[in-house]
Amino acid sequence: MADRTDGIHTMDFWAKFEKKLIEGSGIADFTRSRESLDGLWNYGIDQYDSCLRNGWYNEHQTDPDGRPLPLDYSFDEWDTIQVPSCWNLQSDKLFLYEGSLVYTRKFSYNADCESERVFIKFGGVNERAAIFLNQTYLGMHRGGSTPFFVEVTQVLKPENRLLVVANNTRRPSNIPMDNTDWFNYGGIYRSVELLRLPATFIRSFEVGLQPDSGFEQIYANLKIDGADSGTAVLKIPELNLTAEIAVIGGIGRAVIPAKPLLWQLDDPKLYDVEIEFGGDILREKIGFREIRVQGSEILLNGKSLFLKGVSAHEDSVANGKAVTEAEIRQVYSLAKEMNCNFMRLAHYPHSESAARIADEVGLLLWEEIPVYWAIEFSNPDTYKNAENQLTELICRDINRASVIIWSIGNENLDEDPRLAFMSGLAGRARSLDPTRLISAACFADGELLKITDRLAEYLDIIGINEYYGWYDPDFTKLPKILANSNPGKPVVITEFGADCRAGLPATGTRDDMFTEDFQLDVYERQIEMLRGISYIKGTSPWIFFDFRCPRRLHPVQNYYNIKGLLTADLRYKKKAFYAMQSYYGGL
Ligand code: GCB
């Protein structure tokens, strides 16, 4: 029933719904059969959050005595919107909308068998989502870039209404916070799927090369939901490998002798891997490789590696964050054309397909969570949110050979609460995944002209963002920083760059800001400076292609961050693209 008192009482309805959070819900689902819930959903633009305040999700049509009530909504008569998509690109009136959209659809369900458990997977909803099925509140997910799974077994009926309140309001206490340098897309922008699982199922499984085993062992870890003990069977047919793994307390762990061909950049070999427990079978394609650091070296399969990278946002002109596989493949093929072996996927987890495709094409990845700029580092709930996003990301991509680095954040000042927050995240990442490297994009100290960030102690690779030649025109500081620093660890220059409007006519001098010549000049000086520094083991300049950005109001920018080496439509290569291509080509 629409509660008239909601209008006269202040009500922190978000707090009410946040009492039931959906966290750490990951399920290994790659080859599981699924039913798509994508397609056209009804939607209402709910600027004042009336659905949550007034309980529309209850669908009360009458008062307790059966008299009809006036309703302010009519779900099935609302307009429709495509799921998945960013709402901003679906209608002009939604382009700059920040707030709630109520999404709803109906679907039918027939149980395959009585014991089956059913989950709905949401690949990504920006930024928070309150989920209701058949008038039952199932929980709220925070974090716009990681998947979550909601069990619906007990609530399903033959005919169902699914209702999602998606909200992209920027909040200072969120991850990310209210100020970022990218576009705040909204909506259910990755697929929604229904998964039917047996009563006992494999919730997660992880298979990889056992570190320090001389490439002669693999490890397997799995978690079972629904049963405590038994025996799992791991099979890798191409290696003639069949191994039994004891499951105790729902957990199975084993280290098994095996000599797989290693996953290499020029030969990204993937094996079909199968795991079975109690009749539940999961299949994956897995590459075996080892990544570690030694002194200031990064070693891939024991060999020294320079990360020839570039940073990129998940953004396309046509689809925003809802990028297609074809768009990801196009970006990767352009990165390879620039002679890259590495990409920094900034500043939040990109689509699950990004790492799967990188596994296939042989590209190394840095994956990041949006602990970006001035996060509320002293707020325990903000930490909880960040840790959950990190957990969901690691859980999603744990089997991807391409992913070599978990980045726990970008550009925050070295202050005590931040150190406690970020070192906590580093510890969490290590405990979930001791086989990959931990990094973050940090600042050098602009006054001492030295890398001094205390977070470095907790990182395997120190990422440094610097904009000498652009935000700080005094380029002479860069050589001083490089000479004054002795980090004892590999450093990757995770950002440098300059704005550039493609094709902007230069006036004939190389000092013309925003022109291709100016950007090229910054790149040439950066390359010259960085190439001689022994502890620098990679670069990922900012950025591969121009992207939408509400903070960029200069007419040449026109609401885009134009530091791209390519234009936003990926069609035009700026001059600096060729400078990077020739630098990387010569390494
Ligand atoms: C940075 C940020 C990045 C911005 C970039 C810029 O330091 O890490 O998110 O987009 O600078 O263009 O200012």
PDB file of all heavy atoms in Angstrom, residues 181 347 372 410-411 465 467 471 495 542 547 552 561 563, ligand 1:
ATOM      1  N   ASP A 181      36.966  11.145 -13.123  1.00  0.00           N
ATOM      2  CA  ASP A 181      37.233  11.733 -14.439  1.00  0.00           C
ATOM      3  C   ASP A 181      36.684  10.830 -15.542  1.00  0.00           C
ATOM      4  O   ASP A 181      37.338  10.614 -16.558  1.00  0.00           O
ATOM      5  CB  ASP A 181      38.745  11.950 -14.616  1.00  0.00           C
ATOM      6  CG  ASP A 181      39.044  12.942 -15.752  1.00  0.00           C
ATOM      7  OD1 ASP A 181      38.345  13.963 -15.845  1.00  0.00           O
ATOM      8  OD2 ASP A 181      39.958  12.674 -16.555  1.00  0.00           O
ATOM      9  N   HIS A 347      39.226   2.299 -14.652  1.00  0.00           N
ATOM     10  CA  HIS A 347      39.696   2.420 -13.274  1.00  0.00           C
ATOM     11  C   HIS A 347      38.823   1.541 -12.387  1.00  0.00           C
ATOM     12  O   HIS A 347      38.679   1.793 -11.208  1.00  0.00           O
ATOM     13  CB  HIS A 347      39.529   3.856 -12.775  1.00  0.00           C
ATOM     14  CG  HIS A 347      40.550   4.842 -13.222  1.00  0.00           C
ATOM     15  ND1 HIS A 347      41.884   4.731 -12.893  1.00  0.00           N
ATOM     16  CD2 HIS A 347      40.457   5.958 -13.958  1.00  0.00           C
ATOM     17  CE1 HIS A 347      42.541   5.762 -13.398  1.00  0.00           C
ATOM     18  NE2 HIS A 347      41.701   6.510 -14.059  1.00  0.00           N
ATOM     19  N   TYR A 372      39.484   5.440  -6.102  1.00  0.00           N
ATOM     20  CA  TYR A 372      39.982   6.500  -6.988  1.00  0.00           C
ATOM     21  C   TYR A 372      39.894   7.840  -6.268  1.00  0.00           C
ATOM     22  O   TYR A 372      38.845   8.196  -5.723  1.00  0.00           O
ATOM     23  CB  TYR A 372      39.094   6.488  -8.233  1.00  0.00           C
ATOM     24  CG  TYR A 372      39.424   7.477  -9.322  1.00  0.00           C
ATOM     25  CD1 TYR A 372      40.310   7.137 -10.337  1.00  0.00           C
ATOM     26  CD2 TYR A 372      38.819   8.720  -9.359  1.00  0.00           C
ATOM     27  CE1 TYR A 372      40.592   8.033 -11.361  1.00  0.00           C
ATOM     28  CE2 TYR A 372      39.091   9.624 -10.379  1.00  0.00           C
ATOM     29  CZ  TYR A 372      39.981   9.272 -11.375  1.00  0.00           C
ATOM     30  OH  TYR A 372      40.250  10.155 -12.397  1.00  0.00           O
ATOM     31  N   ASN A 410      43.880   4.123  -7.368  1.00  0.00           N
ATOM     32  CA  ASN A 410      44.506   5.114  -8.232  1.00  0.00           C
ATOM     33  C   ASN A 410      44.578   6.487  -7.570  1.00  0.00           C
ATOM     34  O   ASN A 410      43.549   7.030  -7.136  1.00  0.00           O
ATOM     35  CB  ASN A 410      43.673   5.256  -9.514  1.00  0.00           C
ATOM     36  CG  ASN A 410      44.245   6.287 -10.479  1.00  0.00           C
ATOM     37  OD1 ASN A 410      45.228   6.010 -11.168  1.00  0.00           O
ATOM     38  ND2 ASN A 410      43.650   7.473 -10.543  1.00  0.00           N
ATOM     39  N   GLU A 411      45.774   7.023  -7.482  1.00  0.00           N
ATOM     40  CA  GLU A 411      46.036   8.415  -7.091  1.00  0.00           C
ATOM     41  C   GLU A 411      45.322   8.844  -5.822  1.00  0.00           C
ATOM     42  O   GLU A 411      44.341   9.586  -5.869  1.00  0.00           O
ATOM     43  CB  GLU A 411      45.610   9.361  -8.220  1.00  0.00           C
ATOM     44  CG  GLU A 411      46.535   9.351  -9.390  1.00  0.00           C
ATOM     45  CD  GLU A 411      46.157  10.387 -10.447  1.00  0.00           C
ATOM     46  OE1 GLU A 411      45.148  11.086 -10.277  1.00  0.00           O
ATOM     47  OE2 GLU A 411      46.889  10.477 -11.436  1.00  0.00           O
ATOM     48  N   ASN A 465      51.748   7.603 -11.640  1.00  0.00           N
ATOM     49  CA  ASN A 465      51.113   8.496 -12.612  1.00  0.00           C
ATOM     50  C   ASN A 465      51.851   9.831 -12.572  1.00  0.00           C
ATOM     51  O   ASN A 465      52.063  10.388 -11.491  1.00  0.00           O
ATOM     52  CB  ASN A 465      49.655   8.767 -12.231  1.00  0.00           C
ATOM     53  CG  ASN A 465      48.761   7.541 -12.378  1.00  0.00           C
ATOM     54  OD1 ASN A 465      49.194   6.490 -12.834  1.00  0.00           O
ATOM     55  ND2 ASN A 465      47.503   7.684 -11.993  1.00  0.00           N
ATOM     56  N   TYR A 467      52.358  13.643 -14.978  1.00  0.00           N
ATOM     57  CA  TYR A 467      51.945  14.407 -16.162  1.00  0.00           C
ATOM     58  C   TYR A 467      52.916  15.539 -16.465  1.00  0.00           C
ATOM     59  O   TYR A 467      52.500  16.655 -16.760  1.00  0.00           O
ATOM     60  CB  TYR A 467      50.510  14.919 -15.968  1.00  0.00           C
ATOM     61  CG  TYR A 467      49.493  13.808 -16.248  1.00  0.00           C
ATOM     62  CD1 TYR A 467      49.067  12.962 -15.245  1.00  0.00           C
ATOM     63  CD2 TYR A 467      49.023  13.601 -17.542  1.00  0.00           C
ATOM     64  CE1 TYR A 467      48.171  11.936 -15.513  1.00  0.00           C
ATOM     65  CE2 TYR A 467      48.126  12.575 -17.827  1.00  0.00           C
ATOM     66  CZ  TYR A 467      47.703  11.746 -16.798  1.00  0.00           C
ATOM     67  OH  TYR A 467      46.825  10.731 -17.085  1.00  0.00           O
ATOM     68  N   TYR A 471      50.051  18.657 -17.104  1.00  0.00           N
ATOM     69  CA  TYR A 471      49.541  19.390 -15.941  1.00  0.00           C
ATOM     70  C   TYR A 471      50.664  20.156 -15.247  1.00  0.00           C
ATOM     71  O   TYR A 471      50.455  21.244 -14.723  1.00  0.00           O
ATOM     72  CB  TYR A 471      48.870  18.442 -14.932  1.00  0.00           C
ATOM     73  CG  TYR A 471      47.581  17.856 -15.443  1.00  0.00           C
ATOM     74  CD1 TYR A 471      47.395  16.482 -15.521  1.00  0.00           C
ATOM     75  CD2 TYR A 471      46.552  18.686 -15.866  1.00  0.00           C
ATOM     76  CE1 TYR A 471      46.212  15.954 -15.990  1.00  0.00           C
ATOM     77  CE2 TYR A 471      45.358  18.156 -16.349  1.00  0.00           C
ATOM     78  CZ  TYR A 471      45.200  16.788 -16.408  1.00  0.00           C
ATOM     79  OH  TYR A 471      44.030  16.270 -16.888  1.00  0.00           O
ATOM     80  N   GLU A 495      50.575   6.231 -15.920  1.00  0.00           N
ATOM     81  CA  GLU A 495      49.959   7.293 -16.716  1.00  0.00           C
ATOM     82  C   GLU A 495      50.986   8.359 -17.055  1.00  0.00           C
ATOM     83  O   GLU A 495      51.799   8.734 -16.201  1.00  0.00           O
ATOM     84  CB  GLU A 495      48.811   7.994 -15.954  1.00  0.00           C
ATOM     85  CG  GLU A 495      47.585   7.146 -15.773  1.00  0.00           C
ATOM     86  CD  GLU A 495      46.439   7.836 -15.046  1.00  0.00           C
ATOM     87  OE1 GLU A 495      46.321   9.079 -15.119  1.00  0.00           O
ATOM     88  OE2 GLU A 495      45.658   7.111 -14.412  1.00  0.00           O
ATOM     89  N   TRP A 542      48.371   7.423 -20.724  1.00  0.00           N
ATOM     90  CA  TRP A 542      46.966   7.814 -20.611  1.00  0.00           C
ATOM     91  C   TRP A 542      46.594   8.596 -21.842  1.00  0.00           C
ATOM     92  O   TRP A 542      47.063   9.698 -21.988  1.00  0.00           O
ATOM     93  CB  TRP A 542      46.768   8.675 -19.354  1.00  0.00           C
ATOM     94  CG  TRP A 542      45.332   8.798 -18.981  1.00  0.00           C
ATOM     95  CD1 TRP A 542      44.521   9.881 -19.196  1.00  0.00           C
ATOM     96  CD2 TRP A 542      44.528   7.814 -18.342  1.00  0.00           C
ATOM     97  NE1 TRP A 542      43.260   9.616 -18.735  1.00  0.00           N
ATOM     98  CE2 TRP A 542      43.238   8.359 -18.206  1.00  0.00           C
ATOM     99  CE3 TRP A 542      44.770   6.503 -17.894  1.00  0.00           C
ATOM    100  CZ2 TRP A 542      42.190   7.644 -17.625  1.00  0.00           C
ATOM    101  CZ3 TRP A 542      43.727   5.807 -17.318  1.00  0.00           C
ATOM    102  CH2 TRP A 542      42.443   6.395 -17.183  1.00  0.00           C
ATOM    103  N   PHE A 547      37.552   9.443 -24.342  1.00  0.00           N
ATOM    104  CA  PHE A 547      36.358   8.886 -23.685  1.00  0.00           C
ATOM    105  C   PHE A 547      35.498  10.009 -23.111  1.00  0.00           C
ATOM    106  O   PHE A 547      36.001  11.076 -22.764  1.00  0.00           O
ATOM    107  CB  PHE A 547      36.760   7.887 -22.587  1.00  0.00           C
ATOM    108  CG  PHE A 547      37.652   8.474 -21.521  1.00  0.00           C
ATOM    109  CD1 PHE A 547      37.125   8.948 -20.327  1.00  0.00           C
ATOM    110  CD2 PHE A 547      39.027   8.564 -21.708  1.00  0.00           C
ATOM    111  CE1 PHE A 547      37.948   9.492 -19.331  1.00  0.00           C
ATOM    112  CE2 PHE A 547      39.856   9.119 -20.725  1.00  0.00           C
ATOM    113  CZ  PHE A 547      39.309   9.579 -19.543  1.00  0.00           C
ATOM    114  N   ARG A 552      35.137  17.885 -18.681  1.00  0.00           N
ATOM    115  CA  ARG A 552      35.980  18.482 -19.727  1.00  0.00           C
ATOM    116  C   ARG A 552      35.149  19.435 -20.578  1.00  0.00           C
ATOM    117  O   ARG A 552      34.534  19.022 -21.566  1.00  0.00           O
ATOM    118  CB  ARG A 552      36.606  17.369 -20.576  1.00  0.00           C
ATOM    119  CG  ARG A 552      37.339  16.332 -19.744  1.00  0.00           C
ATOM    120  CD  ARG A 552      38.556  16.932 -19.091  1.00  0.00           C
ATOM    121  NE  ARG A 552      39.220  15.966 -18.200  1.00  0.00           N
ATOM    122  CZ  ARG A 552      40.400  16.187 -17.643  1.00  0.00           C
ATOM    123  NH1 ARG A 552      41.049  17.311 -17.855  1.00  0.00           N
ATOM    124  NH2 ARG A 552      40.929  15.299 -16.839  1.00  0.00           N
ATOM    125  N   ASN A 561      37.406  13.428 -22.515  1.00  0.00           N
ATOM    126  CA  ASN A 561      38.822  13.469 -22.175  1.00  0.00           C
ATOM    127  C   ASN A 561      39.529  13.078 -23.467  1.00  0.00           C
ATOM    128  O   ASN A 561      39.332  11.961 -23.988  1.00  0.00           O
ATOM    129  CB  ASN A 561      39.127  12.488 -21.036  1.00  0.00           C
ATOM    130  CG  ASN A 561      40.589  12.544 -20.600  1.00  0.00           C
ATOM    131  OD1 ASN A 561      41.486  12.549 -21.443  1.00  0.00           O
ATOM    132  ND2 ASN A 561      40.824  12.571 -19.305  1.00  0.00           N
ATOM    133  N   LYS A 563      42.788  12.776 -24.192  1.00  0.00           N
ATOM    134  CA  LYS A 563      44.198  12.362 -24.143  1.00  0.00           C
ATOM    135  C   LYS A 563      44.445  11.084 -24.942  1.00  0.00           C
ATOM    136  O   LYS A 563      45.533  10.504 -24.880  1.00  0.00           O
ATOM    137  CB  LYS A 563      44.655  12.168 -22.692  1.00  0.00           C
ATOM    138  CG  LYS A 563      44.710  13.476 -21.914  1.00  0.00           C
ATOM    139  CD  LYS A 563      45.378  13.356 -20.572  1.00  0.00           C
ATOM    140  CE  LYS A 563      45.288  14.668 -19.823  1.00  0.00           C
ATOM    141  NZ  LYS A 563      43.916  15.034 -19.431  1.00  0.00           N
TER     142      LYS A 563
HETATM  143  C1  GCB B   1      44.726  11.139 -13.883  1.00  0.00           C
HETATM  144  C2  GCB B   1      43.694  10.122 -13.566  1.00  0.00           C
HETATM  145  C3  GCB B   1      42.835   9.792 -14.765  1.00  0.00           C
HETATM  146  C4  GCB B   1      42.492  11.088 -15.491  1.00  0.00           C
HETATM  147  C5  GCB B   1      43.769  11.691 -15.999  1.00  0.00           C
HETATM  148  C6  GCB B   1      43.527  13.009 -16.739  1.00  0.00           C
HETATM  149  O1  GCB B   1      45.697  11.300 -13.202  1.00  0.00           O
HETATM  150  O2  GCB B   1      44.213   8.961 -12.993  1.00  0.00           O
HETATM  151  O3  GCB B   1      41.677   9.124 -14.340  1.00  0.00           O
HETATM  152  O4  GCB B   1      41.583  10.865 -16.526  1.00  0.00           O
HETATM  153  O5  GCB B   1      44.611  11.954 -14.931  1.00  0.00           O
HETATM  154  O6  GCB B   1      43.290  12.988 -17.918  1.00  0.00           O
HETATM  155  O7  GCB B   1      43.566  14.043 -16.080  1.00  0.00           O
END
